[in-house]
Amino acid sequence: MYTVDEIVMRAPVEACFQAGADVERWPERLPHYRWVRFQRKDGFGTGLVEMAARRSFGPLQYPVWWVSEMHVDTARPAVIYRHVDGITTGMDVEWTFQDRGDGTTHVRIVHDWKQGPRWPLPGVGRRAIGDVVIGPVFIHHVAGRTLAGIKRHVENG
């Protein structure tokens, strides 16, 4: 499973990077996040982080949850995750921030999950579940809302 979500934000790279990496503040900025807490914090945007969000289906709210090793690369800049617990264990996630030279930043999130879920359903391949259900129905939806919320935050200050 490989998904890409991207958006252009009318803000400098540093503001977008800081807002994207400041995950502990996401629940107050992003209403679809239920909580974000570090189980082990090694520094800003670095450590073992537990995240919980909601995937809405009309009036129904489906809870999603995962734990990731998270670190930031301030030189690139990038925010990098490796999911280590939850249905998406083994997924790699990378946020990148590119200055477009006109006061805007291109923000891109790539979710790459080569092996798919650990629990294959009878008659259904592991990769099919990731490619057909988890990626487009859950990950794309949550990532898109996250990008939109970060955009609102950095553009409205």
Side-chain angles (χ1 to χ4, degrees), residues 140-156:
H140 175 66
H141 179 82
V142 172
R145 290 188 68 197
T146 301
L147 284 172
I150 297 293
K151 176 182 172 92
R152 272 190 311 277
H153 171 73
V154 298
E155 290 182 358
N156 297 328

Side-chain angles (χ1 to χ4, degrees), residues 31-34 52-56 61-64 141-142 145:
H32 62 292
Y33 270 83
R34 299 181 295 146
R54 292 176 197 87
R55 193 325 183 175
S56 58
Q61 301 292 312
Y62 188 88
V64 293
H141 179 82
V142 172
R145 290 188 68 197

Side-chain angles (χ1 to χ4, degrees), residues 88 122 135:
T88 54

Side-chain angles (χ1 to χ4, degrees), residues 14-26:
E14 183 60 24
C16 298
F17 171 68
Q18 286 294 318
D22 193 4
V23 296
E24 290 175 295
R25 308 244 357 240
W26 283 10

